[in-house]
Amino acid sequence: MSDRLPIDRVGSALRVFALRLGPGQELLSSLLAFVEERQLKAPFIITCVGSVTKATLRLANASLENTNEVVCLQERFEIVSLVGTLNTEAHLHICLADKEGRTIGGHVLGDLEVFTTAELVVGEASDLHFTRELDSRTGFPELVIQKRSEQI
């Protein structure tokens, strides 16, 4: 029997955490530290609002052959969306709006320096455990979902 759960059979109780990051804090590393401190096994972002002064993102057209589609931004942005999972290899996508309301988004690589605030609500699927394994079809580490009772 495979450890991977069929997509139609994944369910879990939910725990919710709220936190606020202040000016100068780096959002990704702060979230990963939060997850580690609380030993969360299946954490994910429920919502986030705030602002950043920098961001490093991988753009949508990255592939096995072309992983260098990266943009390093340095200006004030509003966080208009942040979604993803936060296991040891976080998989987050962000959408940022500049002073004219133009948006840019991509896969978070880091360098998300908080400008004024980042107000986050983090959920944890209490009955599940998230890990990542290399998927030969995509060339990227992809989400593996397991029931906690199956964990060693």
Side-chain angles (χ1 to χ4, degrees), residues 52-98:
V52 294
T53 57
K54 355 189 248 190
T56 301
L57 310 176
R58 186 180 70 219
L59 302 178
N61 59 342
S63 66
L64 262 180
E65 299 78 31
N66 181 23
T67 59
N68 295 323
E69 292 295 321
V70 173
V71 61
C72 297
L73 307 168
Q74 284 200 299
E75 63 180 280
R76 293 178 182 166
F77 291 96
E78 288 290 323
I79 301 168
V80 295
S81 177
L82 179 67
V83 296
T85 55
L86 288 165
N87 51 306
T88 54
E89 294 182 53
H91 186 185
L92 298 178
H93 289 192
I94 196 166
C95 184
L96 302 168
D98 69 13

Side-chain angles (χ1 to χ4, degrees), residues 7-121:
I7 196 147
D8 61 344
R9 297 202 183 171
V10 178
S12 178
L14 173 66
R15 294 192 320 158
V16 177
F17 304 87
L19 67 146
R20 178 181 176 261
L21 303 177
Q25 289 185 275
E26 200 284 317
L27 196 142
L28 179 58
S29 61
S30 296
L31 280 171
L32 291 175
F34 180 85
V35 165
E36 186 175 324
E37 287 167 10
R38 284 155 187 79
Q39 299 181 340
L40 305 181
K41 302 298 182 200
F44 56 94
I45 299 295
I46 295 174
T47 191
C48 173
V49 296
S51 57
V52 294
T53 57
K54 355 189 248 190
T56 301
L57 310 176
R58 186 180 70 219
L59 302 178
N61 59 342
S63 66
L64 262 180
E65 299 78 31
N66 181 23
T67 59
N68 295 323
E69 292 295 321
V70 173
V71 61
C72 297
L73 307 168
Q74 284 200 299
E75 63 180 280
R76 293 178 182 166
F77 291 96
E78 288 290 323
I79 301 168
V80 295
S81 177
L82 179 67
V83 296
T85 55
L86 288 165
N87 51 306
T88 54
E89 294 182 53
H91 186 185
L92 298 178
H93 289 192
I94 196 166
C95 184
L96 302 168
D98 69 13
K99 65 183 177 185
E100 295 176 6
R102 292 178 300 215
T103 58
I104 185 168
H107 177 91
V108 173
L109 294 178
D111 236 7
L112 289 171
E113 185 176 293
V114 175
F115 175 46
T116 59
T117 191
E119 301 165 4
L120 296 120
V121 180

